[in-house]
Structure formats: C-alpha cells, structure tokens
Amino acid sequence: MVNFAQEDPCAHRRGRMASSPDSNASLSVQKVTRSESSQARKSQHAEEAIFYMNCRAAYLTVLKSSLENIKSKEQLSLVLQQAGRNPSQKTVNKYWTSQTTTLNFDDFCTILKKEKPATKTELLEAFGKIDTDNTGYILHDELYKILTTRGEKMSPDEVSTITKQADFNCRGKLDYNKFCDLYMTTSEQCCNTAREKLEVDNRLKQQQFGSQAETSSEGIAMPVSKPSPRISRKTDHKLAPTKGDSRTPSRPSSAQSCKASISTTLSLGASSNRSTKLIEPDTMKEWHCAQSKGCFYLEEDGEIISHKYKLHLPQRSTVCITIKPLNIRQVEGKSGHWLSVDTALYILKENETQENLQLVSFTEQQNKEMFGWKGELGSGIYWLLPFTTGCRLKKVKAQMTGEAKLVYRGEDGELALTKEFRAALSDIFETIDLDGNGLLSLEEYNFFELRTSGEKCDEEAWAVCKENFDMKKNELTRQGFMDLNLMEANDREGDPSDLWVTLLSLGYNKALEMTEACPFVIDIYAEKCKPRIKAIYLDAGSSQLNRAVCKSVVNKGEAKVMDGCENIIVYTYKTGRRITSVIENKSENKVIIHVNNEQSKNCLSSRGLTVFAVEVAPKSTMVSQHVMPLNEQEEWFYNCVHSLVR
C-alpha cells in the first residue's frame, strides 16, 4: 500500500538574532478542579492501557513473546503494519540504522508513539494537492508520473498494483476517496485481527498488562515505556560510564516461568504530614548563600533532560543544599502541574582527573515540597545533578478544544503580543534567568537557545541584540526578551508557527499551560565560606546519575536476597514520598527479573506498568522502579514481587 504521509512541516527556527528587528478560587471551584483533574488522570490511564494493549497485540502477532526482539527491517515493517501503520522505507530506515542490530518491545512502543496512523483527512489533503481542480479523481498517467519520480520512488509494478484495484479505479482514473476509505478499513482490520488473536490465545492472555480493574486510580498507572537512550544525544563526556549500563526493557513475561522471588510490602499514610527534619533557612540567616534556577524538560520520546551544575566551595564548611519546584505565576482556577513533580539533587565530588565522580549524598530530608541535605563538605568542586523519577513528569494527552492566540494586530495595523502570551513569556524569562538577577546573560540565553533551536548565539549576534533590544550591563532585560519574540512574529508576518516551536519545546501546550516541564530552584547555604554554583550542561541524565541513584539505594535501602538465588538482591528504599527499588545481579550472566505490582494500591510507577520485566546485565545494578502515591491525600499500599525468570 502506498504511503501518502507528509513530513512534519514545523522545523525548529534557526538563528533567532541573525537579523536586526525592523487570586484565589473558591473552595467549591477547587473541589470541582480536583475532581476534573482526577477524572482526567483516570481517562489518561485508560487511554494508555488501550494503547499498550494494541502495541502488545501487534507485537505478538509477529513475535512469540514481548521478550523477543525485532531482528530485521522486514520484521519491523511487518509489526508496524499489524499496528495499523503503513511505514515507508524512509520511516523504517529512520529507526533501523546501520548501527541497529535489534529493537525491543519498548523501542517498538516508542516508535508507535511517534509514528501516528494517518487519518482520512490527512490522506485527502495529500491527494488534494495533486487534484488541484478538486474533481475527486487522479488520472493514472499523472499518478504514475508522481509515484515513480518524486519522493520515495515506487516501481512501475508497484504503481500498477494500485491502479489495477477495481475497488477504487475506473476508466483510467483513481477515485482517491474510495482509496482512502479502503486504506482506513484495511488499517483498522489489521489492528482488530491482532487484538482478536490476543484475546483468544490464553497463553498470551497471561502476559497482558494486568486487567481492566488495573486502569483505575487504585492500581499502579498503566504503561509509559522507558525508551532506550538515543545514540545521537550528547552525553556528559567528563563522567565515567556505568558498568553494566544497558537497556532496561519494561516488558512483561509469563508469571508461570518465575521460580525464585522476593516480596516487599510497605503501607504508608497520606502525605499531608510530611517530614520536617530539614533545617529551616531562617535559622541560617548569617550563612553565605548562593542560588540557581533550572528546569526539567520532557522530550518527545519521554526522556527527561535538565541543567547540571558545578558547586565550588573555597574551604571546608557545613552546608545546606535544597531543591524544590519553582513557584511562578499560576492562572486563577488552575493548579501548577509542575508543583507536584518530585525533585532531588545528587551531590558528587569531583576528583583530580574529573573522569570519575564520588557520591557524597543526596537530598533525602523533606520539608513540604522542598528536599534537602545538610552536612559538612571539604573544599573543592562538586557536581549537583538534579533528578526526578518521571512518575509525575510524563507525556499527557492533549485535551483542548482550541489554540491560544499569541499575536494580534492593533488598530494601527502593527503586530502585538497578546496578554496571555506575554504572561507565558514572563514565566519563561523567570525560569531561564538562572541567577535570578532579572536579566539574561549570554550564557543564560544560550541555554534557552539550545533548548528551543539547537543552536547557540555567538558574540556577534549578541552585539546585534544589544543594538536593537533593551539591555543592562550587557544582559537582556525582560522587556528586551518580549521585544525579541515580537520581532520573530514580525519576521513571519504574524505567523505564530515558530513561536509555537519555542513554547512546545519549553513544555507548554496549545492552551499556554506548562504541562511537560518542571522549573526548580536550588539554594545553597554555607556557614564558613561563599559558595558558587554554575549551570554547566542542559542534558539528559548521565550514567553517573544512574549510578548515584543505584548506590544511594544500595547504601540506605533494605536488602533482600532472592529465595533460591543468592546472587540476586533487591534493595528497597523509601525517602519522603518516594519508594525506589534497585536490583543487583552478582552473577556472571544476565538475568531477566519479572516485576509484579498488582497488589499495590494508590501507587504511581515510573515504569507505568503493573507487570513488567527488566534485564539486568552481569555484575551490575539497575533501578527496577520508582513509586509515588497517585493521590497524596490518601493512604497508599506498596506490594511488589520480584521474580527470576527461568
């Protein structure tokens, strides 16, 4: 079947500055808002459950088990077709490169999230560009010429296969309305066939992601897969790799094949009375202080990136380090989604070679939404690595009916920014002004540019900015930042496309709500010296961060040796409102561990799965999952069984 899917026309803008510019809601409203939010979460969980059921159905139509990998381009193309997609060779090549040897179930789910099935409207629009007279037909000769000479060229035999189909061809013409109907019907039939096969096969049923009851708010949320690290992403080259770093497929396996196992149970109360062990900043008024802001950003594939920092202490001192979500402006009647996102900092000491970092500690003490650590640090350089589990910061399905207006023309015909867009830009400025001095340095602005366009602004372009926009001490003011975005709107004659690229990359949706980012603020208090903190990178979690998370849980968590397999140890650690489990494999062989959360109540897992499996490399440790309460105002019950798959 021919692929008429169009490439995404929205590309990141480049060289932003390459040219010069020519109150509180009532209690009842809050209750309604909370109720609507709860219903939205339930709806989202149900939709995710359906999506992953369809993924699994398609996968198991081609492969025997979700633990089996896709081993060829042909298999990838076939399993995508079973999921109702119609991948072109270009699409297949995008995911199966010269370096690809296998793809796992997680990879497949990630691909399906990116490769949305074509809708009838999109297909008709594509044909409409050829049928400029809007007749509803395309001559075979014209179709032959287009399909054999443009884009991903088809062979004459392939075109003939299309034109000979009597269902949508007549008298040398293709009735593309009928073609689209058949395309959509065939796609749906592929999905239905896969689902029916899954339903009737009892053996496969045992491997499903839980039951319908598990889509409720009382069970762990339904699947959100963790994609494999992308090869193209820049990594922190100064940090040493983690031994045993490997893919961690969130894939279920048959419980019947599990022999040795460990069961962990924790019953926890509501989070309304959180620990207040952390020292209050008011008691440190005489201490030296440093602060920096930053942000977690959610990538399209679900990966989370954030700023990474270096802390310099000129002498030994008692210090207190805290992190919490940044409380910026909130729209009346709407809660700030990011304020419920969990945050943490891992503190690592830099040695002389900078090739390996030593874990010092992490922010495990809690005071409301703030997490912190207090202790003594020697003089030197430390890395501060922000961390969030991904339990609350994850992709959400858009539920909006319209798109916010960004610009308008005044009575004089000049473009202006809308009040709503200016408010969003003001919040963005507040977030990217890392040192909080009310101005943007070139360094701060470049973090913004790298996030939104992938490029840096050089000194020459910054000089152009200085000539045309409001600056103080060679730093961009808030008004200058507003004018810069207005210039971009003027450059596009009011077309907001590039402005939306910026907003979406910063975690905003089309209603100008920040739903896929979490700004945070780091405060450092030192008793005897002036601390200095500086953002160094804006990047994904490094292997050093993964190792630090594992080591902290191994050092402080409860260890349980797996019955019947002394080489497998599961560590479980609770800090604040988070439970983390880590698996250690001491054996010489890789192992597959089946993880079952079916008995947990009011829990939200970073894996997003009720039942899944992870592959642990020999002589290594890895995170099994992070778990948080789905509803913090209610009790939550964590019951997890780790079993070795034979």
Side-chain angles (χ1 to χ4, degrees):
M1 192 178 292
V2 62
N3 186 301
F4 286 95
Q6 300 298 306
E7 295 292 333
D8 182 1
C10 185
H12 285 300
R13 82 237 189 292
R14 301 293 184 188
R16 174 191 288 267
M17 297 187 299
S19 60
S20 55
D22 286 336
S23 65
N24 289 330
S26 68
L27 181 60
S28 60
V29 172
Q30 291 178 5
K31 288 180 178 179
V32 170
T33 302
R34 284 196 295 266
S35 176
E36 290 176 348
S37 176
S38 176
Q39 291 298 322
R41 284 197 300 268
K42 290 180 181 179
S43 175
Q44 181 190 347
H45 296 159
E47 289 171 357
E48 289 176 347
I50 293 171
F51 171 77
Y52 278 87
M53 180 188 71
N54 290 337
C55 290
R56 188 167 176 74
Y59 202 83
L60 295 178
T61 300
V62 178
L63 299 158
K64 295 179 180 179
S65 165
S66 60
L67 294 176
E68 185 178 344
N69 290 336
I70 298 170
K71 299 181 180 65
S72 67
K73 282 186 179 182
E74 292 72 24
Q75 272 193 336
L76 175 59
S77 180
L78 184 58
V79 77
L80 285 172
Q81 290 171 9
Q82 292 298 327
R85 307 306 193 262
N86 183 31
S88 64
Q89 194 58 48
K90 182 179 179 181
T91 298
V92 173
N93 290 340
K94 180 166 63 172
Y95 299 107
W96 194 282
T97 68
S98 58
Q99 297 178 341
T100 307
T101 55
T102 61
L103 292 172
N104 63 30
F105 179 72
D106 279 348
D107 298 322
F108 173 64
C109 293
T110 301
I111 293 171
L112 283 192
K113 282 187 175 182
K114 294 179 180 180
E115 301 299 329
K116 306 294 185 182
T119 65
K120 184 177 180 180
T121 300
E122 291 170 339
L123 292 172
L124 290 175
E125 286 178 356
F127 279 114
K129 293 178 181 179
I130 303 173
D131 179 23
T132 55
D133 295 330
N134 198 27
T135 64
Y137 296 91
I138 297 176
L139 293 173
H140 286 173
D141 290 344
E142 185 178 5
L143 186 67
Y144 179 89
K145 181 179 179 181
I146 291 171
L147 296 182
T148 58
T149 61
R150 297 184 190 176
E152 190 174 321
K153 303 177 183 63
M154 298 178 66
S155 68
D157 288 342
E158 288 174 326
V159 179
S160 295
T161 301
I162 296 173
T163 58
K164 288 179 180 179
Q165 294 288 331
D167 292 334
F168 45 80
N169 289 283
C170 182
R171 294 190 295 274
K173 294 184 293 185
L174 175 122
D175 184 333
Y176 59 81
N177 275 282
K178 290 184 178 180
F179 175 86
C180 291
D181 287 337
L182 183 62
Y183 176 98
M184 300 305 296
T185 301
T186 303
S187 177
E188 184 62 28
Q189 284 176 346
C190 285
C191 294
N192 289 340
T193 300
R195 284 195 298 265
E196 288 169 3
K197 187 178 187 302
L198 186 62
E199 287 296 326
V200 300
D201 192 328
N202 289 328
R203 179 180 60 82
L204 297 180
K205 267 188 172 182
Q206 293 174 353
Q207 297 183 13
Q208 285 185 20
F209 294 123
S211 63
Q212 283 298 106
E214 291 159 4
T215 65
S216 72
S217 61
E218 293 184 354
I220 288 188
M222 292 308 289
V224 175
S225 66
K226 289 289 184 183
S228 303
R230 294 179 293 172
I231 295 172
S232 61
R233 170 165 297 285
K234 291 188 296 180
T235 57
D236 189 348
H237 60 278
K238 293 184 179 181
L239 305 181
T242 303
K243 182 179 179 181
D245 248 6
S246 64
R247 297 183 180 211
T248 58
S250 304
R251 298 167 290 175
S253 64
S254 173
Q256 291 185 345
S257 62
C258 302
K259 304 297 183 183
S261 66
I262 297 173
S263 178
T264 304
T265 301
L266 291 172
S267 182
L268 304 105
S271 302
S272 55
N273 298 316
R274 296 180 189 164
S275 166
T276 56
K277 292 185 291 185
L278 185 63
I279 187 169
E280 291 285 353
D282 286 346
T283 65
M284 300 179 290
K285 289 181 178 178
E286 304 302 319
W287 291 23
H288 303 277
C289 180
Q291 183 184 87
S292 184
K293 288 179 279 189
C295 196
F296 295 109
Y297 295 109
L298 192 60
E299 296 279 61
E300 189 62 33
D301 60 5
E303 187 175 31
I304 297 174
I305 71 170
S306 74
H307 295 83
K308 308 289 190 296
Y309 304 84
K310 275 190 176 183
L311 167 65
H312 176 246
L313 282 179
Q315 70 180 77
R316 176 176 293 275
S317 175
T318 301
V319 300
C320 180
I321 302 175
T322 67
I323 183 173
K324 65 179 180 180
L326 180 64
N327 195 353
I328 56 177
R329 174 192 66 93
Q330 295 181 52
V331 178
E332 185 176 348
K334 295 183 179 180
S335 62
H337 167 79
W338 69 93
L339 293 175
S340 67
V341 172
D342 58 294
T343 60
L345 268 179
Y346 284 81
I347 306 162
L348 293 87
K349 181 72 167 65
E350 185 176 280
N351 61 19
E352 293 180 0
T353 64
Q354 297 188 16
E355 292 179 354
N356 199 6
L357 303 178
Q358 179 183 358
L359 175 66
V360 175
S361 192
F362 64 101
T363 53
E364 60 179 323
Q365 296 177 328
Q366 182 181 7
N367 185 359
K368 298 181 180 178
E369 75 279 1
M370 178 191 294
F371 282 80
W373 175 82
K374 182 175 179 288
E376 190 169 279
L377 293 178
S379 62
I381 304 297
Y382 296 84
W383 283 82
L384 302 181
L385 306 183
F387 172 76
T388 184
T389 60
C391 289
R392 300 191 187 279
L393 185 59
K394 55 184 170 183
K395 304 297 288 186
V396 294
K397 186 174 179 63
Q399 295 180 343
M400 296 151 321
T401 56
E403 180 179 295
K405 193 173 182 180
L406 304 183
V407 297
Y408 69 97
R409 291 195 181 275
E411 294 180 356
D412 57 359
E414 295 294 321
L415 278 175
L417 306 180
T418 64
K419 178 183 177 181
E420 294 77 16
F421 185 35
R422 289 183 65 86
L425 286 175
S426 182
D427 290 346
I428 291 170
F429 185 92
E430 194 71 28
T431 300
I432 64 178
D433 175 20
L434 301 183
D435 61 10
N437 71 343
L439 301 168
L440 293 182
S441 66
L442 175 57
E443 193 172 41
E444 289 172 327
Y445 183 80
N446 272 333
F447 280 120
F448 167 76
E449 276 293 314
L450 284 170
R451 177 61 191 162
T452 58
S453 72
E455 296 181 347
K456 279 189 174 183
C457 169
D458 57 23
E459 294 286 351
E460 184 179 350
W462 194 244
V464 172
C465 181
K466 188 175 182 179
E467 293 174 3
N468 295 279
F469 301 107
D470 186 32
M471 280 200 176
K472 291 181 181 179
K473 301 178 182 179
N474 201 37
E475 295 188 332
L476 189 64
T477 66
R478 190 181 301 258
Q479 185 57 49
F481 182 66
M482 298 286 183
D483 293 339
L484 188 60
N485 281 274
L486 180 58
M487 178 206 75
E488 187 167 336
N490 275 299
D491 285 348
R492 290 287 186 173
E493 299 181 345
D495 183 352
S497 299
D498 284 355
L499 298 176
W500 277 118
V501 170
T502 297
L503 289 165
L504 294 174
S505 67
L506 295 175
Y508 284 80
N509 61 23
K510 288 300 182 82
L512 289 180
E513 299 168 329
M514 185 167 58
T515 57
E516 296 186 357
C518 173
F520 56 79
V521 58
I522 298 171
D523 287 291
I524 300 160
Y525 300 87
E527 185 179 20
K528 296 181 180 179
C529 61
K530 177 67 176 176
R532 296 199 306 270
I533 182 174
K534 183 178 181 180
I536 305 298
Y537 298 110
L538 177 61
D539 216 334
S542 65
S543 59
Q544 276 287 1
L545 178 58
N546 295 332
R547 181 159 57 209
V549 173
C550 288
K551 188 172 182 180
S552 66
V553 174
V554 169
N555 288 346
K556 299 203 170 203
E558 178 190 7
K560 288 187 177 182
V561 178
M562 187 167 286
D563 294 336
C565 189
E566 61 183 15
N567 286 326
I568 308 299
I569 305 173
V570 176
Y571 301 85
T572 304
Y573 179 63
K574 179 189 176 297
T575 174
R577 49 182 170 165
R578 180 181 95 219
I579 296 172
T580 298
S581 60
V582 164
I583 304 169
E584 181 178 12
N585 176 18
K586 292 185 175 182
S587 73
E588 300 289 342
N589 303 305
K590 73 175 182 180
V591 296
I592 296 174
I593 304 297
H594 179 275
V595 185
N596 190 322
N597 296 299
E598 290 175 307
Q599 300 304 313
S600 293
K601 303 294 183 184
N602 188 33
C603 288
L604 191 63
S605 171
S606 59
R607 295 280 181 180
L609 301 166
T610 304
V611 179
F612 60 93
V614 291
E615 185 178 287
V616 190
K619 301 290 185 180
S620 69
T621 59
M622 64 167 290
V623 172
S624 170
Q625 64 179 342
H626 306 283
V627 176
M628 295 181 64
L630 184 62
N631 184 339
E632 292 193 13
Q633 307 308 314
E634 297 178 1
E635 292 183 350
W636 49 305
F637 180 75
Y638 173 76
N639 184 294
C640 180
V641 179
H642 289 80
S643 307
L644 178 64
V645 177
R646 295 297 188 185

